Amino acid sequence: MANTATTYEQLRDLDAEIESIADAVGTPGELSITQRLDTIERVLFALARAQGIDPDAAS
């Protein structure tokens, strides 16, 4: 159970970084919101995997 809590805490920490990642991806108007969200999702999944978290199994 502690491992599950740690995983959710890590995912929550990653989620807290979305705004700064969005800023790094580009400014509004530069890319569509769909493109920006797709890029953010790919970055978050890559970060999760780099930390040993399987984002597909966490949902």
Side-chain angles (χ1 to χ4, degrees):
M1 183 83 173
N3 188 27
T4 301
T6 302
T7 299
Y8 287 120
E9 289 169 1
Q10 290 173 337
L11 289 174
R12 203 172 43 233
D13 291 344
L14 288 173
D15 189 50
E17 299 295 322
I18 288 175
E19 189 168 336
S20 62
I21 292 170
D23 291 342
V25 170
T27 58
E30 186 176 308
L31 297 173
S32 73
I33 188 67
T34 304
Q35 291 169 317
R36 293 179 77 205
L37 290 173
D38 182 56
T39 302
I40 291 167
E41 179 182 41
R42 286 186 277 127
V43 169
L44 290 174
F45 273 48
L47 288 171
R49 287 186 183 107
Q51 294 181 6
I53 300 169
D54 181 1
D56 295 320
S59 53

